[in-house]
Amino acid sequence: MSAALKEVELSGKSGGRAAPRHFLELSDIDSGSLRRMVDLGAKAKRGENLGQPLAGKTVALIFEKPSTRTRVSFEVGIRQLGGHVTTLTSKDTQLGRGETPADTARVLSRYVDAIVLRTDKVAKIRELAEHATVPVINGLTDVSHPCQLMADVMTFEEHRGPIAGQVVAWTGDGNNVAQSFIQAAARFNFTLRLATPPELAPPTDLIAWARSQGANVELTNDPYAAVKDARCVVTDTWISMSDEKGSIRTRHNLLAPYQLNQRLLKAAAPDAVVMHCLPAHRGEEITDEVMDGPQSVVFDEAENRLHAQKGVLLWALGLA
Ligand code: CP
Ligand code: NVA
């Protein structure tokens, strides 16, 4: 092997740079960096010119599960920052046919400057990141959705000011988005009250981690207790992509008391905002009246994926 090839073999696309900044879980990243990303997102939304910092760079987006917002907001945001995108679904990658995440990482690191992955198992994205010489960004797994939380924090602050010290209530399934909310409570210093059926409570080790970080995270089975005085009420689908093989009727029966409807919203602070990561199943976890009502900020929240992820990309690429 020539010396030049050996150099490439050893260093990959990163050219011997320091370890890449992966955006895998909020718990992996310090509060100051997360704050910088959200603030950059807000700056981007205000129209302050971020320039073309991704000029000459390419980002690979890999979706092993469906997506509307994550895919389009990353594609558009990367182009707006001057970069190029290549998007793959599991139908058109060898990852979907059994190539290992490690080998995929080694190869893609030779072509692109960052990788966004939406997948099922967290072990897969961890393996990809371990072997990539470029940053890996978590576009959702069965247990987390950190990009969503960056947009959610930005959205709350846009409407109600700093989130630190505020009370946020979650009602419904203790799913991947709920679990990222728990991590966000620790990193952004807000109180989080989660109301879930006992069977669908978030993992106890995650709650213990958040509390060990000083976070105020409370669990209940009573959605009315959770929303009391809350300035933000959040819910999500009763059946996540990872639950599609389970019994729909059982989940609906368990989750029906947690529906975000007008009666529940009235029990929150009078100026509470309503958030939902979308896609929503109207008439199930959230009623039309609430979703389309004056307290709903769900479409700003969807828009803010575009802006907040610019902050994530710039941080991950060492440009912020
Ligand atoms: N909220 C969210 O991630 O939406 P998509 O599944 O459409 O990407
Ligand atoms: N909890 C949902 C979020 C979708 C963005 C799911 O995983 O399907």
Side-chain angles (χ1 to χ4, degrees):
M1 186 189 291
S2 75
L5 277 178
K6 199 161 183 192
E7 175 71 28
V8 172
E9 174 77 31
L10 289 172
S11 62
K13 189 100 175 28
S14 69
R17 281 197 311 250
R21 285 178 174 173
H22 300 305
F23 185 84
L24 299 184
E25 301 292 341
L26 301 180
S27 56
D28 295 341
I29 303 168
D30 65 279
S31 301
S33 300
L34 293 170
R35 168 49 56 196
R36 273 212 318 282
M37 294 179 225
V38 171
D39 290 348
L40 262 172
K43 200 169 153 182
K45 186 167 188 178
R46 285 196 302 270
E48 288 180 38
N49 192 1
L50 299 182
Q52 301 273 289
L54 300 194
K57 297 194 186 296
T58 300
V59 181
L61 310 180
I62 308 174
F63 287 92
E64 296 204 298
K65 292 178 173 189
S67 169
T68 299
R69 280 144 288 267
T70 306
R71 177 173 175 167
V72 179
S73 58
F74 266 114
E75 286 184 349
V76 172
I78 290 162
R79 290 196 182 110
Q80 287 176 349
L81 293 173
H84 297 276
V85 190
T86 180
T87 302
L88 301 157
T89 67
S90 40
K91 283 200 283 303
D92 39 44
T93 59
Q94 298 288 6
L95 192 57
R97 293 184 60 246
E99 186 168 16
T100 66
D103 288 346
T104 304
R106 292 180 181 112
V107 172
L108 289 182
S109 295
R110 307 295 182 97
Y111 303 143
V112 302
D113 298 280
I115 305 167
V116 177
L117 176 65
R118 168 168 289 194
T119 190
D120 45 10
K121 299 284 166 271
V122 78
K124 238 189 230 182
I125 197 164
R126 287 269 174 212
E127 184 181 327
L128 190 87
E130 194 182 325
H131 295 275
T133 54
V134 299
V136 173
I137 296 173
N138 178 353
L140 179 146
T141 68
D142 289 353
V143 297
S144 59
H145 197 1
C147 288
Q148 182 65 51
L149 261 292
M150 302 305 277
D152 290 1
V153 169
M154 180 180 155
T155 306
F156 180 88
E157 297 195 330
E158 176 177 48
H159 287 273
R160 294 288 178 268
I163 199 165
Q166 299 288 346
V167 177
V168 174
W170 175 275
T171 179
D173 183 16
N175 65 12
N176 46 4
V177 179
Q179 291 177 44
S180 283
F181 257 99
I182 293 167
Q183 298 189 15
R187 289 294 179 254
F188 290 96
N189 201 23
F190 57 85
T191 292
L192 180 65
R193 293 203 208 111
L194 300 119
T196 70
E199 297 85 339
L200 299 174
T204 48
D205 57 346
L206 179 59
I207 306 291
W209 170 83
R211 288 180 178 154
S212 77
Q213 301 286 303
N216 194 0
V217 176
E218 299 162 22
L219 292 185
T220 174
N221 306 130
D222 177 359
Y224 287 87
V227 304
K228 189 174 180 307
D229 302 323
R231 297 204 64 216
C232 178
V233 184
V234 197
T235 192
D236 187 16
T237 180
W238 288 346
I239 301 175
S240 285
M241 291 179 273
S242 55
D243 302 319
E244 276 161 2
K245 292 185 197 81
S247 158
I248 293 178
R249 180 174 299 183
T250 308
R251 291 184 75 86
H252 279 207
N253 288 343
L254 278 174
L255 286 157
Y258 298 84
Q259 182 187 63
L260 180 45
N261 51 36
Q262 204 56 42
R263 185 164 163 254
L264 182 60
L265 185 57
K266 275 204 157 56
D271 66 346
V273 290
V274 168
M275 299 213 285
H276 187 310
C277 66
L278 307 180
H281 296 78
R282 288 166 174 263
E284 294 182 7
E285 75 275 5
I286 189 165
T287 59
D288 285 336
E289 195 182 9
V290 169
M291 178 128 160
D292 300 327
Q295 289 170 262
S296 169
V297 295
V298 300
F299 296 109
D300 290 337
E301 187 185 356
E303 177 187 336
N304 288 342
R305 297 291 304 278
L306 171 67
H307 309 298
Q309 284 160 194
K310 288 182 180 172
V312 173
L313 284 161
L314 294 181
W315 172 81
L317 286 160
L319 301 168

